[in-house]
Amino acid sequence: MRKKRVLLLSEGFGSGHTQAAYALAMGLRHLSPGIQTRVIELGKFLNPVVGPLIMSAYRKTVSKQPKLVGMVYRTQYHKSLNRFTQLALHRVFYTQTSQVISQLKPDLIVCTHPVPNAVVARLKRLGLDVPLYTLITDYDAHGTWTSPEVTKYLVSTPKVKNKLIEHGIPDNRVEVTGIPVHPNFWMTHNKTEIQIQFGLKQMPTVLIMGGGWGLLGEGNLLDYMTGWRESVQLIFCVGSNEKAREKMLAEPTYQHPNIKVLGFTTEISKLMDVSDLLITKPGGMTCTEGLSKGIPMLFYEPIPGIEDENVDYFIQSGFGEMLLTEATLDKWFKLISEPYASIQFRRTLLTKRNQEYNPSQCSRSVLAMMQHV
C-alpha cells in the first residue's frame, strides 16, 4: 500500500509561515512515521534568483516602513487576491507548480501562505483534483487567505473561525485546530540539563527574541534591561542576523557572564523551558510556541495590522502584555525574581493553555482528516 503524501507550500514573507509548515510536517511524521511530507517555499523554489530579492525587499519594507505595511493590510482586509494578482501568479507559477504536483503526486496539499494558496486554488479551478487545506498562521483572518476552492481551513481560535464565516466561508469548512508547533514544543525538557548545555546559571532568566530581521528593538528599553544583568540572566536570540550578534558582542554592556547572545538555533523549545519570561515581536508562530510552554510574554513593536490581532488575542487571554515603558520591565523582572510568585504564575498560565490550546492538536486533526482522503 502506497504511503500517504502531504505537500506543504509556503512563502518566506516572515519566518512563521514556513515554520508552521515544517512544524505540521514534523508533527504528522511524529504521530504517523509512515507519512511522507515535503515542504516547499514556492517563490524561492521556482524562482531561486528573483524569489530572494522579493523577500529582501519585503524585509526592508517591514523594518523601514511598517506603517505602509499596516495601511495595505487594513485597506485590503476584506478582499481576496484580485483578478490581476491571480493572473500574475498564474503566469509566474502555474506551469511549474502544476509540474511539481504531478511529480510528487500528493494526497493532500496544505498551504501556509496566501500566495501558494491562491496558486493551488486556481489549479483546482482548472481541474486539479487534490484536497487543499489552508492553515492560517496568525490570530486573524485576512481576506487574501480566502478562495472558494479551499477544502478546509485550519485556524488558531474560534474568533478567527467567525471572521472567516464573515468573509462568506461555510461553517463546516473551518476547523479550530490551533497553529502547529514542532513536536519539541509538545514536551518539557530537563531544566538542569539545558542550563549545563548553554552555560546558564540557576537564576531568573529572560529570553529576548526577534533579531533575525534586525527587529530586536534598539534603543532605551534594550539598554535598560541590561541594567538588570546582576540579578536577571538575559538570553538574546538574534537568529541568522550575524551582523547584529557581532555588534552586540563588541559592546562592553553585553560582555557579562549573565548575558548570552545567540545566533541561529533550533533549540528555542529548550530555551523557553529554562526561561521565566519571553520578550518578543508578536509573530503568530513565536507567540504560539510561547503559548505551548505557558511562558509569560512581553510584546514590542508589532507590525501594524499583521501583528496587532496577535497582540490582542494574547493580552486578552492573559498570556502577555505590551512592553511600552521601563516600568513594565521593572514589574516583570521583579516578579520572576520572586521564586514562589513566578512558579505560581507559570502554573496558572499552563492551566489556561490546557483550556485553550493543545500543541499537538493541529497535527492530530490533519491526520484524522487524511483517513478520508
Side-chain angles (χ1 to χ4, degrees):
M1 183 178 177
R2 185 173 80 88
K3 295 180 178 179
K4 292 285 189 178
R5 299 176 181 177
V6 181
L7 174 61
L8 301 103
L9 299 177
S10 182
E11 279 297 356
F13 295 94
S15 60
H17 300 288
T18 303
Q19 274 184 267
Y22 277 112
L24 179 55
M26 292 294 293
L28 290 172
R29 296 204 304 270
H30 180 81
L31 295 171
S32 183
I35 287 181
Q36 295 180 339
T37 62
R38 177 74 183 272
V39 177
I40 295 176
E41 283 189 350
L42 202 58
K44 186 186 295 184
F45 181 76
L46 299 182
N47 294 277
V49 175
V50 177
L53 294 177
I54 295 173
M55 301 306 145
S56 178
Y58 176 74
R59 290 187 180 198
K60 288 180 180 178
T61 303
V62 168
S63 60
K64 304 296 184 183
Q65 296 180 290
K67 290 183 179 179
L68 175 61
V69 175
M71 182 188 71
V72 172
Y73 185 89
R74 286 187 289 269
T75 56
Q76 300 297 315
Y77 187 79
H78 294 287
K79 302 175 182 178
S80 58
L81 293 175
N82 60 46
R83 288 178 176 269
F84 176 78
T85 303
Q86 290 181 13
L87 179 61
L89 292 173
H90 173 79
R91 294 182 66 87
V92 173
F93 292 122
Y94 167 70
T95 301
Q96 290 171 296
T97 304
S98 181
Q99 290 173 349
V100 168
I101 294 172
S102 296
Q103 181 179 1
L104 296 178
K105 294 180 171 58
D107 298 290
L108 178 72
I109 297 173
V110 180
C111 290
T112 63
H113 189 278
V115 168
N117 191 65
V119 172
V120 176
R122 185 173 176 85
L123 286 172
K124 285 179 66 66
R125 286 199 296 277
L126 297 172
L128 175 67
D129 187 23
V130 180
L132 169 60
Y133 288 8
T134 298
L135 171 60
I136 298 181
T137 55
D138 281 297
Y139 292 77
D140 194 15
H142 195 276
T144 52
W145 285 100
T146 61
S147 294
E149 294 75 22
V150 173
T151 309
K152 182 78 75 172
Y153 291 88
L154 313 175
V155 301
S156 53
T157 67
K159 182 178 179 181
V160 176
K161 178 176 181 175
N162 290 335
K163 288 190 174 186
L164 281 177
I165 293 172
E166 290 173 5
H167 284 308
I169 306 301
D171 177 281
N172 62 0
R173 287 173 54 202
V174 187
E175 182 165 337
V176 179
T177 63
I179 297 172
V181 290
H182 191 284
N184 286 342
F185 289 87
W186 300 3
M187 65 193 80
T188 301
H189 303 85
N190 184 282
K191 193 169 183 177
T192 301
E193 291 179 0
I194 301 168
Q195 289 168 335
I196 294 171
Q197 178 183 349
F198 288 94
L200 300 170
K201 298 178 181 178
Q202 294 186 8
M203 60 186 299
T205 302
V206 178
L207 178 62
I208 304 102
M209 296 180 62
W213 282 20
L215 301 172
L216 195 56
E218 297 180 0
N220 295 334
L221 287 177
L222 191 65
D223 293 336
Y224 184 80
M225 69 177 73
T226 62
W228 280 81
R229 61 189 180 274
E230 295 299 332
S231 55
V232 173
Q233 190 166 227
L234 302 170
I235 306 172
F236 293 91
C237 284
V238 299
S240 56
N241 193 338
E242 194 59 30
K243 183 177 180 180
R245 182 170 180 266
E246 291 176 358
K247 180 181 178 181
M248 293 174 73
L249 288 174
E251 296 182 14
T253 303
Y254 296 91
Q255 297 170 8
H256 190 279
N258 293 342
I259 294 180
K260 303 290 182 183
V261 183
L262 306 179
F264 177 78
T265 176
T266 59
E267 300 192 285
I268 295 297
S269 62
K270 291 184 178 180
L271 293 172
M272 286 187 180
D273 277 334
V274 82
S275 299
D276 304 289
L277 177 67
L278 171 64
I279 299 177
T280 182
K281 289 281 292 179
M285 199 66 203
T286 302
C287 290
T288 304
E289 290 172 347
L291 170 65
S292 74
K293 294 294 186 180
I295 184 173
M297 294 176 273
L298 297 182
F299 309 115
Y300 63 89
E301 298 179 2
I303 299 172
I306 297 173
E307 293 179 347
D308 286 340
E309 291 293 329
N310 297 346
V311 169
D312 288 346
Y313 169 74
F314 284 98
I315 291 178
Q316 290 172 10
S317 299
F319 290 100
E321 183 178 337
M322 277 299 298
L323 174 54
L324 299 174
T325 66
E326 296 173 355
T328 306
L329 284 174
D330 288 339
K331 180 182 75 173
W332 281 94
F333 284 14
K334 288 176 182 176
L335 173 63
I336 65 173
S337 297
E338 300 172 8
Y340 178 77
S342 182
I343 291 172
Q344 289 299 109
F345 189 73
R346 191 72 174 260
R347 286 175 178 169
T348 300
L349 288 188
L350 284 170
T351 299
K352 287 184 180 180
R353 182 210 68 181
N354 293 338
Q355 294 170 346
E356 299 192 20
Y357 179 71
N358 179 343
S360 67
Q361 183 59 48
C362 187
S363 300
R364 294 184 186 279
S365 295
V366 173
L367 190 61
M369 294 174 198
M370 287 190 66
Q371 307 305 315
H372 306 290
V373 174

